[in-house]
């Protein structure tokens, strides 16, 4: 439902009981006025000669008057007495209808205006006049319980109105009570309510509300249009949030939500782009070593088919190529993770000693065919560090992989996890390979390889792997340094600050 | 201990990889039981095995659910997770659920076997007590050393040095660690002094002195060690 319609309905819903209440109140006041007027009419008429006539000839006493006297000017209006009026002789009365019925003259239309009828009753509420109706029980009961007058509605086929039973001040004789009844042939005078005025009033209220709601509706429509436009622009432009009311608050809330959504959209777009690049690079980078591996396997199959044992050199090269492929995919995955931003990096307490052991064990198959010894030592107690274990392990693995891959046959690689100070850990990867020149060493320490450049395989082995090691170290605030080892090769050190052991050991 | 055949439960759904691993385990002297789906692994009693190698992506129950099931039953059998998804969250979750180690695919069989051996050996090492290497017998509790049954008198530093290696038989111990933790830092805390003590120790151990092996670039290890 539209806002205007809802507001109009609300006004109607609020006005209906209000108007009903006013109508009831007005009706009640009118009924009281009418009852009082009838009572006063009865007493005045009885005191101004009516009592005398009644007591003189109670069997024929009755008064019928028309038009009706009104409360404020009782007696001021002309009263026509049809019977028992100014004449002392009782005029022939129209037949009084039985209880609940209208007088014959009223019922037959002899009187077109309101008619007031009056009968007198003795103390026991019986009338000497056989035509007098019996007063309603509820009125009798009220007066018996001590009241001086009681009124009730009167409804009959010929008309309706009010009827009042009044106790006279003299309280005795054949006229101790007077029952007076006013009959309106055209009903509705008492119950009449200014329906059309009420309708006009409600319509005016609805109109005012609809008019007042106009500016609110216009602002809401504008906000709706702004929101639609902003959504079309992927929440790049904010909506107008001027103002200090609830609609402005809504606009501000939308801008805040839009900003959040924009962040997520950007993040998704970045990840999508990273994924696309990753897939493209992976496909490109993996195909070459895979082709080499296929070549080695094909050669070995040929040797087997000819009944010759596979030569160790080819088998070793195949193993190296497979190892390279595995680390390449892990490295590309690490690059994708680093490029995707910090949200993709998952820091958790990690045991550095276990990482070192895993990395070294992973390189045994690569080292052993070339008689390269690879060993590690870790402290007896666990060494904890908050890191992304996948990235950190890959960084260490790249450095160890280089130390093995570019070592000479029969060479050595040592990986030492030490605690050089009360707060630090240090992973030193030492080899006795050919090492690097001073110039190359300076470059290793300072040069920031671009990923695209570094992705290319190069004989120094300082491409993608070291680039990742650098980026991972930097992300984890770990210092990565390169120096010549005392054995002639290279010594690479990761040095960072240990974390406290988690309260519940994960391992 | 060397003659005991360890039963290993392998839960891996890939047939080729499973066959390869089973073959490697048999060659390494283990007795593997190979299951290819998670639900079957859930029904298996882990108590019958010295170690469980568990793949994560399985038909039926998920690998980590199997791990949770094993740990919920109060079983502390070492569990080694095999995972093709090199995801940190998986690893952290696995360790939180009580996994002992994880191996990321691809891996060479030698690497897996080495990790299995390290995990099976570990509990007995932690138990302490008596460690044998060749003719050498080190009683860590009684602080005594015998070579071919004959007691050898060692100085405090020499015994501490040998004990540090014996507590982790087969594993290399860094010279820096030994210098910091075995030598008296006020008097003789240098790695050169350490080498002197090692030389003396080897001489006192006679033929078994070769069990105290030098590890290039690292330090020393107790070689040919067994409990």
């Amino acid at each position: 439902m539209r806002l205007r319609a809802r507001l109009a309905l609300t006004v109607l819903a609020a006005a209906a009981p209000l108007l009903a209440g006013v109508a009831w109140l007005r009706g009640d006041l009118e009924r009281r006025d009418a009852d009082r007027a009838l009572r006063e009419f009865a007493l005045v008429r009885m005191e101004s000669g009516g009592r005398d006539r009644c007591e003189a000839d109670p069997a024929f006493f009755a008064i019928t008057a028309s038009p009706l006297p009104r409360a404020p000017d009782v007696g001021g209006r002309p009263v026509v007495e049809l019977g028992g009026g100014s004449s002392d002789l009782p005029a022939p009365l129209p037949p009084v209808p039985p209880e609940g019925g209208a007088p014959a003259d009223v019922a037959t239309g002899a009187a077109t205006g309101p008619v007031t009828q009056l009968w007198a009753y003795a103390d026991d509420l019986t009338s000497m006049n056989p035509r007098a109706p019996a007063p309603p029980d509820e009125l009798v009961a009220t007066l018996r319980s001590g009241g001086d007058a009681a009124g009730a509605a009167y409804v009959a086929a010929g008309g309706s109105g009010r009827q009042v039973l009044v106790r006279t001040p003299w309280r005795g004789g054949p006229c101790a009570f007077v029952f007076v009844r006013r009959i309106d042939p055209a009903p509705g005078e008492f119950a009449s309510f200014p329906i059309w005025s009420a309708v006009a009033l409600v319509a005016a209220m609805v109109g005012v509300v609809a008019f007042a709601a106009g500016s609110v509706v216009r602002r809401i429509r504008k906000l709706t249009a702004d929101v639609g436009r902003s959504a079309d622009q992927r929440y790049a432009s904010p909506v107008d949030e001027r103002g200090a009311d609830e609609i402005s608050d809504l606009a501000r809330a939308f801008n805040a939500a839009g900003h959040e959504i924009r962040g997520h959209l950007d993040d998704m777009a970045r990840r999508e782009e990273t994924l696309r690049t990753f897939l493209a690079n992976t496909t490109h980078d993996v195909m070459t070593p895979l082709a080499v591996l296929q070549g080695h396997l094909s050669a070995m199959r040929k040797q087997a088919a000819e009944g010759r044992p596979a030569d160790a050199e080819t088998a070793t090269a195949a193993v190296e190529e497979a190892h390279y492929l595995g680390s390449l995919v892990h490295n590309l995955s690490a690059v994708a993770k680093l490029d995707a931003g910090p949200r993709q990096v998952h820091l958790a307490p990690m045991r550095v000693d276990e990482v070192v052991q895993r990395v070294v064990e992973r390189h045994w198959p690569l080292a052993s065919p070339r008689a390269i010894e690879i060993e590690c030592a870790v402290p007896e107690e666990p060494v904890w560090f908050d890191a992304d274990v996948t990235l950190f392990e890959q960084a260490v693995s790249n450095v160890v992989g280089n130390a093995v891959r570019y070592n000479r046959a029969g060479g050595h690689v040592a990986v030492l996890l030490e605690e050089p100070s009360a707060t630090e850990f240090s992973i030193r990867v030492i080899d006795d390979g050919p090492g690097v020149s001073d110039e190359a060493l300076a470059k290793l320490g300072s040069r920031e390889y671009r990923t695209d450049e570094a992705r290319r395989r190069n004989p120094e082995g300082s491409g993608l792997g070291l680039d990742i090691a650098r980026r991972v170290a930097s992300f984890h605030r770990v210092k990565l340094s390169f120096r010549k080892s005392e054995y002639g090769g290279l010594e690479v050190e990761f040095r960072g600050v240990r974390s406290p052991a988690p309260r519940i050991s994960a391992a | 201990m060397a003659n005991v055949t360890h039963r290993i439960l392998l839960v891996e759904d890939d047939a080729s990889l499973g066959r390869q691993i089973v073959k490697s385990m048999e060659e390494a002297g283990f007795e593997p039981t190979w299951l290819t789906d998670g639900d079957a692994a859930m029904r298996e009693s882990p108590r019958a095995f010295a170690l469980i190698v568990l793949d994560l992506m399985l038909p039926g129950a998920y690998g980590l659910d199997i791990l949770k099931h094993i740990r919920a039953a109060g079983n502390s059998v070492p569990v080694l997770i095999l995972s093709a998804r090199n995801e940190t969250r998986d690893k952290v979750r696995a360790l939180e659920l009580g996994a002992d180690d994880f191996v990321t695919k691809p891996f060479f069989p030698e690497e897996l076997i080495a990790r299995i051996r390290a995990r099976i050996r570990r509990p007995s090492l932690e138990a302490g007590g008596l460690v044998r290497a060749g003719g050498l017998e080190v009683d860590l509790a009684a602080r005594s050393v015998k070579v071919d049954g004959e007691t050898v008198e060692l100085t405090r530093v020499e015994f501490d040095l040998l004990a540090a290696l014996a507590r982790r038989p087969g594993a290399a111990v860094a010279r820096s660690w030994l210098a910091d933790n075995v030598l008296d830092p006020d008097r003789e805390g240098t790695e050169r002094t350490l080498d002197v003590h090692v030389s003396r120790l080897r001489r006192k151990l006679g033929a078994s002195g070769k069990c105290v092996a030098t590890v290039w670039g690292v330090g020393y290890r107790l070689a040919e060690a067994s409990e």
Side-chain angles (χ1 to χ4, degrees):
Chain A
M1 188 183 281
R2 310 296 291 182
L3 185 61
R4 277 181 207 259
R6 183 178 291 275
L7 283 172
L9 196 68
T10 306
V11 169
L12 279 176
L18 191 68
L19 288 172
V22 168
W24 179 84
L25 195 63
R26 181 187 156 138
D28 190 55
L29 287 173
E30 282 185 350
R31 281 190 296 277
R32 285 170 191 271
D33 278 351
D35 288 356
R36 196 173 69 248
L38 285 176
R39 178 170 171 270
E40 286 175 8
F41 167 79
L43 290 177
V44 166
R45 295 310 301 268
M46 290 304 284
E47 282 169 355
S48 58
R51 179 185 176 187
D52 297 339
R53 290 201 302 279
C54 172
E55 288 177 349
D57 196 3
F60 289 95
F61 179 76
I63 296 174
T64 298
S66 180
L68 178 80
R70 298 305 300 260
D73 50 0
V74 169
R77 292 186 176 191
V79 175
V80 177
E81 297 197 357
L82 298 179
S86 56
S87 166
D88 287 338
L89 291 174
L93 278 172
V96 175
E99 176 62 25
D105 55 345
V106 174
T108 54
T112 54
V115 173
T116 303
Q117 296 174 319
L118 185 150
W119 296 275
Y121 298 80
D123 193 38
D124 60 355
L125 280 163
T126 56
S127 180
M128 303 287 283
N129 187 341
R131 294 175 182 169
D137 292 344
E138 58 181 293
L139 302 185
V140 172
T142 306
L143 263 67
R144 290 238 185 273
S145 62
D148 285 333
Y154 171 73
V155 180
S160 62
R162 299 291 298 174
Q163 51 191 355
V164 177
L165 183 62
V166 182
R167 188 194 297 274
T168 56
W170 46 90
R171 296 173 178 253
C175 323
F177 291 94
V178 178
F179 181 54
V180 58
R181 178 183 279 167
R182 195 195 74 181
I183 304 160
D184 288 330
E189 188 183 340
F190 282 103
S192 70
F193 183 76
I195 294 293
W196 291 111
S197 302
V199 168
L201 179 69
V202 170
M205 285 167 72
V206 169
V208 168
V209 167
F211 178 75
S215 66
V216 175
V217 170
R218 271 194 302 281
R219 292 192 56 203
I220 290 175
R221 281 180 182 161
K222 182 174 179 302
L223 179 60
T224 307
D226 279 0
V227 168
R229 197 191 60 248
S230 178
D232 289 344
Q233 295 168 357
R234 296 170 68 83
Y235 304 96
S237 62
V239 300
D240 183 3
E241 57 180 40
R242 282 174 297 179
D245 59 4
E246 285 82 353
I247 295 176
S248 303
D249 289 346
L250 183 63
R252 275 188 282 277
F254 171 80
N255 280 341
H259 182 73
E260 184 78 7
I261 292 171
R262 181 78 199 273
H264 285 301
L265 287 175
D266 287 349
D267 195 35
M268 275 172 62
R270 202 165 41 243
R271 285 166 63 180
E272 220 170 88
E273 178 59 29
T274 305
L275 185 65
R276 265 200 299 274
T277 313
F278 174 70
L279 279 176
N281 288 336
T282 306
T283 309
H284 173 264
D285 293 349
V286 164
M287 289 311 167
T288 309
L290 201 54
V292 178
L293 179 60
Q294 282 179 340
H296 291 319
L297 291 173
S298 175
M300 286 193 285
R301 188 180 59 184
K302 195 175 166 194
Q303 287 164 348
E306 290 168 358
R308 293 184 289 143
D311 74 90
E313 199 180 322
T314 309
T316 302
V319 166
E320 284 175 3
E321 215 58 43
H323 200 279
Y324 175 77
L325 259 174
S327 58
L328 179 64
V329 172
H330 285 321
N331 273 333
L332 292 173
S333 165
V335 168
K337 199 171 186 178
L338 288 166
D339 286 348
R343 284 190 192 198
Q344 299 306 308
V345 179
H346 185 84
L347 296 181
M350 169 197 85
R351 278 184 62 174
V352 188
D353 50 314
E354 292 188 340
V355 168
V356 166
Q357 284 169 325
R358 275 200 297 270
V359 167
V360 168
E361 283 165 8
R362 188 174 309 139
H363 285 86
W364 281 346
L366 191 66
S368 57
R370 293 170 55 213
I372 294 172
E373 269 184 34
I374 175 167
E375 295 284 355
C376 71
V378 299
E380 270 187 326
E381 296 301 317
V383 177
W384 291 94
F385 180 53
D386 283 344
D388 183 304
V389 63
T390 307
L391 286 179
F392 193 83
E393 195 165 323
Q394 192 58 36
V396 177
S397 188
N398 287 344
V399 171
V400 172
N402 282 346
V404 174
R405 198 171 286 120
Y406 304 106
N407 209 322
R408 59 189 165 75
H412 301 85
V413 176
V415 185
L416 289 163
L417 172 61
E418 294 164 311
E419 293 165 316
S421 72
T423 56
E424 288 178 304
F425 73 87
S426 152
I427 302 170
R428 287 193 292 147
V429 182
I430 306 162
D431 69 67
D432 58 352
V436 292
S437 64
D438 290 341
E439 192 189 353
L441 190 64
K443 277 186 181 175
L444 283 178
S446 63
R447 186 175 168 189
E448 287 294 328
Y449 284 79
R450 281 180 49 235
T451 305
D452 289 347
E453 201 180 307
R455 178 164 285 121
R456 284 185 224 113
R457 226 173 166 190
N458 64 51
E460 289 78 32
S462 53
L464 179 61
L466 277 190
D467 181 53
I468 289 167
R470 263 190 217 93
R471 291 180 63 183
V472 169
S474 160
F475 184 88
H476 290 88
R477 299 180 190 282
V478 166
K479 190 183 170 205
L480 181 63
S481 56
F482 302 84
R483 64 184 82 95
K484 288 188 174 183
S485 84
E486 58 180 301
Y487 305 98
L490 192 66
E491 180 176 320
V492 184
E493 184 184 22
F494 294 85
R495 188 183 278 233
V497 177
R498 300 198 298 271
S499 309
R503 274 183 296 176
I504 300 168
S505 176
Chain B
M1 178 180 164
N3 297 327
V4 176
T5 304
H6 291 291
R7 292 189 66 198
I8 311 271
L9 176 62
L10 168 68
V11 190
E12 165 62 62
D13 62 319
D14 186 89
S16 303
L17 185 60
R19 270 196 302 275
Q20 254 182 27
I21 295 174
V22 165
K23 190 165 170 248
S24 304
M25 285 177 174
E26 285 170 347
E27 284 172 2
F30 297 120
E31 189 187 320
T33 298
W34 176 22
L35 299 176
T36 54
D37 78 287
D39 292 336
M42 282 285 211
R43 290 190 296 270
E44 194 68 48
S45 166
R47 293 186 195 286
F49 302 96
L51 184 138
I52 297 173
V53 177
L54 191 59
D55 188 20
L56 288 186
M57 305 293 280
L58 293 164
Y62 184 60
L64 289 182
D65 291 333
I66 299 170
L67 172 63
K68 208 187 294 181
H69 177 72
I70 292 169
R71 293 298 182 238
N75 198 300
S76 60
V77 59
V79 175
L80 201 156
I81 300 289
L82 283 186
S83 174
R85 295 188 351 160
N86 196 17
E87 280 292 329
T88 304
R89 281 174 206 280
D90 285 352
K91 293 174 185 173
V92 171
R93 182 89 185 107
L95 290 176
E96 281 172 353
L97 286 174
D100 295 87
D101 202 355
F102 49 84
V103 177
T104 310
K105 295 174 186 176
F107 55 87
F108 283 95
E110 297 96 308
E111 184 190 346
L112 180 63
I113 297 300
R115 302 278 269 279
I116 292 171
R117 283 204 171 117
R119 284 293 160 188
I120 288 179
R121 211 166 44 197
R122 195 160 292 182
S124 65
L125 296 176
E126 288 166 359
L130 210 60
V131 181
R132 291 194 182 89
L136 188 65
E137 188 181 296
V138 184
D139 189 334
L140 294 171
R143 291 184 65 84
S144 70
V145 177
K146 286 180 184 170
V147 173
D148 298 328
E150 295 291 321
T151 302
V152 178
E153 293 298 326
L154 299 179
T155 64
R156 183 194 64 78
V157 170
E158 286 161 359
F159 180 82
D160 287 347
L161 182 59
L162 189 58
L165 304 181
R167 277 199 299 272
R168 291 188 281 170
V173 182
R175 280 151 55 90
S176 60
W177 191 91
L178 290 169
D180 289 347
N181 292 277
V182 174
L183 301 183
D184 182 347
D186 295 332
R187 291 176 51 203
E188 43 189 2
T190 70
E191 294 185 17
R192 292 285 169 219
T193 321
L194 181 75
D195 293 341
V196 173
H197 284 292
V198 170
S199 298
R200 282 187 196 147
L201 174 64
R202 279 176 176 153
R203 268 204 303 278
K204 284 187 180 177
L205 298 178
S208 293
K210 67 177 190 302
C211 292
V212 181
T214 303
V215 182
W216 185 94
V218 176
Y220 300 96
R221 80 146 57 87
L222 194 63
E224 300 173 63
S226 64
E227 195 183 349

